[in-house]
Amino acid sequence: MSDADIVIIADDHPLFRAALSDTLGRELPKATLVEAADFNQLQHQVENHPQASLAVVDLYMPGAHGFSSLIFLTAHFPQIPVLMISANDSDDIVRRAADHGATGFLSKSADAESIRRAIKAVAGGQMSFPEHVDLSIPEISDEESNIAEALASLTPQQFRVATMLSQGLLNKQIAYELQVTEATIKAHITEIFKKLGVHSRTQAALALGKLDLAGPGDQDT
């Protein structure tokens, strides 16, 4: 089996993953489905399957800041088409996803036929966004674009450290989780600060926070 037969499903809700798996299994019967429940698992899955034919990724992923998971994928695995899914399908969110490199966007409230069409289109190398959304209108600010560019310049390991840093983990906790020395973590943090143009953990967390969603629908339920 080659990676081209792999489809990655990343969502923290088991029931929704199961529903997606069912739909994907019918639409792409030859594909092998692998799952991820958080951003850390998503990183491992794409690293294990760098030539996967499709990644279906929840916009609100535990361990990620809004669009940071999408930025990670488009920076390090641009060959994998990404279909973002979310309960928040406002026009600005859809446009931000497109601006950050998503191949498609699907609302969690979409009907079965819309889900089928979106999966078929993105898996076939085509873009698939809600028809009512005008993607010609730029949505992300210069500040958000600069932060996204800086994040994209991080190595995968630096990306992991930045994510954990923004969650408030101490150096020794990050070192334990990644099974490296504290000195290595300190070196990574120095590079992260340099690339993000910040000087403290708080500033780094605030920078990543610019990628979060906004509004009452910012978290999927």
Side-chain angles (χ1 to χ4, degrees), residues 23-220:
T23 301
L24 282 160
R26 291 196 304 270
E27 191 58 37
L28 304 172
K30 295 182 180 180
T32 296
L33 309 179
V34 297
E35 299 183 1
D38 56 35
F39 181 51
N40 184 54
Q41 291 180 17
L42 173 60
Q43 287 178 304
H44 285 299
Q45 291 290 19
V46 292
E47 287 169 357
N48 289 335
H49 308 289
Q51 299 300 326
S53 60
L54 174 66
V56 184
V57 182
D58 186 6
L59 185 52
Y60 181 74
M61 280 290 279
H65 278 277
F67 294 93
S68 66
S69 58
L70 175 59
I71 292 167
F72 174 81
L73 291 172
T74 55
H76 297 287
F77 302 92
Q79 69 277 11
I80 302 178
V82 181
L83 175 61
M84 299 302 297
I85 54 174
S86 179
N88 186 340
D89 59 354
S90 60
D91 288 12
D92 62 315
I93 292 297
V94 175
R95 284 196 289 265
R96 284 173 74 190
D99 289 346
H100 283 304
T103 310
F105 189 99
L106 182 65
S107 171
K108 284 192 173 183
S109 62
D111 58 44
E113 178 59 23
S114 296
I115 295 174
R116 187 194 68 79
R117 286 200 306 268
I119 290 171
K120 184 176 181 179
V122 175
Q126 299 177 342
M127 300 184 75
S128 178
F129 291 89
E131 294 180 359
H132 67 276
V133 180
D134 184 357
L135 298 181
S136 68
I137 302 173
E139 191 64 49
I140 62 174
S141 64
D142 288 342
E143 182 181 30
E144 183 174 341
S145 179
N146 290 338
I147 292 169
E149 185 176 350
L151 273 183
S153 73
L154 299 179
T155 67
Q157 188 77 322
Q158 289 170 355
F159 210 108
R160 288 190 181 93
V161 174
T163 299
M164 295 178 178
L165 195 69
S166 69
Q167 294 170 346
L169 272 66
L170 301 175
N171 288 5
K172 63 181 180 181
Q173 293 174 308
I174 299 174
Y176 177 79
E177 289 293 330
L178 298 181
Q179 297 183 334
V180 297
T181 66
E182 286 190 53
T184 298
I185 297 303
K186 289 179 181 179
H188 282 321
I189 291 174
T190 297
E191 283 300 305
I192 291 166
F193 284 2
K194 180 180 178 181
K195 290 178 179 179
L196 290 178
V198 300
H199 304 286
S200 70
R201 289 167 169 267
T202 300
Q203 289 177 339
L206 289 173
L208 266 68
K210 299 294 183 182
L211 300 171
D212 284 339
L213 313 186
D218 61 348
Q219 296 185 4
D220 293 340

